[in-house]
């Protein structure tokens, strides 16, 4: 198929190409175009530096070549927008004390867009590790990695000034008990979103002196024990199915059975199970690795968003 790219007769008449051949050619030249643009973008800091040096002498490196600005230069030669040029120049300045990432930028090894995603977490000490992530992860997985990195290292800022002000109001409130009660009711209504009848029943029990917290603890403990029992029963059946398939030489089926999916949803809900992530769960991750274990054991299945699933496998 590679010979296709060098067959001038075929290249001169695209109507003769099959769908697969047309797609392969588009993919080939698209990748070449992206690589060429990265290489070109990496040259812009040097072009800009030479322009500034010439201006100090009263001249212009760009005007000598028929361009009024670095933006016109990049637009006409590589179709780059003003925002893309500014991004490359800013990153080059930000990476002055991080030579590993600066070299990756100016050599066109990785795109400025990917490097921009990690600029808030990179340091002189971790630049080699961060570059490895930039090179190996997709954009989506890289965003997840940056978010998790910030969470682990306490780099998260308050989401809004309003939220910070809300917390501060409670801190300076002289009636601390009232503030705590208000905060408790707000959490009950907003975070848990209890139905009105459930909330009223809990409050009635509370007024009668019944330990509502203990009732909820007992419920959570019973729920956990029931889930563990169900997982053990289903796991036993899945292991038996795997062993039976192995005896007769039947290949493993990657489809996760409905009863296994149901248990995972009952335990984790429909969101990604990674701490701090509230994105929808779109993949079931086999912690043991299905290719090796060849079993859909619910004890080792975790729901993940696409980003965390890519990140774990990367």
């Amino acid at each position: 198929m590679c010979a296709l790219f060098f067959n001038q007769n075929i290249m001169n008449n695209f109507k003769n190409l099959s769908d697969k051949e047309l797609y392969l050619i588009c993919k080939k030249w698209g990748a070449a175009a992206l690589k060429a643009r990265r290489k070109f973008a990496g040259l812009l800091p040097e072009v800009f530096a030479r322009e500034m040096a010439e201006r100090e002498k009263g001249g212009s490196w760009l005007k000598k070549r028929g361009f009024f600005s670095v933006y016109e230069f990049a637009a006409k030669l590589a179709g780059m927008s003003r925002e893309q040029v500014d991004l490359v120049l800013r990153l080059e300045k930000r990476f002055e004390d991080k030579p590993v990432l600066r070299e990756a930028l100016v050599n066109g090894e990785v795109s400025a867009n990917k490097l921009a995603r990690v600029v808030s977490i990179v340091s002189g000490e971790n630049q080699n590790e961060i570059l490895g992530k930039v090179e190996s992860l997709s954009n989506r997985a890289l965003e997840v990695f940056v978010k998790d990195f910030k969470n682990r290292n306490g780099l998260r800022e308050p989401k809004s000034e309003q939220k910070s002000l809300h917390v501060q109001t409670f801190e300076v409130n002289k009636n601390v008990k009232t503030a705590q009660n208000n905060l408790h009711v707000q959490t009950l209504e907003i975070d848990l979103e209890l139905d009105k009848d459930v909330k009223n029943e809990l409050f009635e029990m509370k007024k009668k002196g019944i330990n509502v917290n203990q009732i909820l603890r007992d419920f959570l403990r019973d729920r956990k024990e029931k889930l563990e029992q169900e997982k053990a029963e289903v796991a036993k059946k899945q292991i038996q199915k795997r062993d039976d398939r192995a005896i007769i030489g039947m290949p493993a089926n990657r489809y996760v059975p409905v009863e296994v999916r149901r248990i995972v949803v009952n335990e984790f809900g429909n969101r990604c199970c990674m701490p701090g992530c509230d994105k929808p769960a779109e993949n079931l991750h086999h912690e043991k690795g299905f290719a090796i274990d060849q079993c859909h054991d619910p004890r080792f299945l975790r729901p993940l968003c696409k980003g965390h699933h890519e990140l774990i496998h990367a």
Side-chain angles (χ1 to χ4, degrees), residues 88-151:
V88 172
L89 297 180
R90 284 200 305 269
L91 286 175
E92 194 270 339
K93 295 295 290 183
R94 291 285 297 272
F95 293 152
E96 281 184 342
D97 58 343
K98 302 170 185 69
V100 173
L101 291 182
R102 183 185 179 279
E103 183 177 354
L105 174 68
V106 299
N107 287 342
E109 296 174 14
V110 291
S111 70
N113 288 332
K114 293 191 76 172
L115 289 170
R117 286 178 164 83
V118 301
V119 70
S120 60
I121 64 171
V122 69
S123 66
E125 291 74 26
N126 69 8
Q127 55 181 319
N128 284 292
E129 175 192 357
I130 297 299
L131 178 59
K133 299 297 183 182
V134 171
E135 292 176 332
S136 62
L137 299 179
S138 68
N139 286 335
R140 178 168 52 200
L142 191 61
E143 289 177 356
V144 172
F145 168 76
V146 171
K147 180 180 178 182
D148 289 350
F149 184 95
K150 289 181 176 180
N151 284 333

Side-chain angles (χ1 to χ4, degrees), residues 144-279:
V144 172
F145 168 76
V146 171
K147 180 180 178 182
D148 289 350
F149 184 95
K150 289 181 176 180
N151 284 333
R152 288 195 307 270
N153 293 276
L155 299 178
R156 283 291 180 192
E157 297 292 334
K159 289 187 177 179
S160 66
E161 293 183 2
Q162 183 178 7
K163 181 177 179 181
S164 299
L165 182 61
H166 177 72
V167 175
Q168 185 180 18
T169 301
F170 282 123
E171 289 178 350
V172 300
N173 195 325
K174 293 181 180 180
N175 192 343
V176 177
K177 185 174 181 180
T178 301
Q180 290 175 338
N181 289 337
N182 289 340
L183 183 60
H184 175 69
V185 172
Q186 184 186 42
T187 302
L188 208 60
E189 292 178 346
I190 297 178
D191 292 344
L192 296 181
E193 297 180 352
L194 295 176
D195 290 340
K196 187 175 181 180
D197 59 326
V198 175
K199 184 170 62 175
N200 289 339
E201 187 170 348
L202 289 174
F203 280 129
E204 285 299 319
M205 294 171 68
K206 179 72 173 178
K207 287 194 295 185
K208 293 177 181 179
I210 298 175
N211 191 334
V212 175
N213 284 324
Q214 189 57 49
I215 289 177
L216 293 176
R217 289 191 189 97
D218 291 342
F219 164 76
L220 294 173
R221 185 194 65 243
D222 292 344
R223 175 182 179 274
K224 185 176 181 180
E225 290 177 353
K226 182 180 178 181
L227 280 171
E228 291 299 323
Q229 182 179 356
E230 289 180 354
K231 285 195 293 184
E233 293 173 357
V234 174
K236 184 178 180 179
K237 289 194 292 184
Q238 290 300 314
I239 292 172
Q240 185 62 53
K241 287 182 179 179
R242 177 197 63 189
D243 294 343
D244 291 343
R245 287 195 304 266
I247 292 174
I248 62 177
M250 181 183 296
N253 188 345
R254 284 189 169 273
Y255 177 77
V256 180
V258 174
E259 63 175 350
V260 176
R261 291 178 178 273
R262 179 183 59 79
I263 290 179
V264 175
V265 171
N266 286 343
E267 181 174 10
F268 296 99
N270 57 8
R271 298 285 171 174
C272 179
C273 72
M274 295 299 288
C277 184
D278 59 356
K279 292 183 179 180

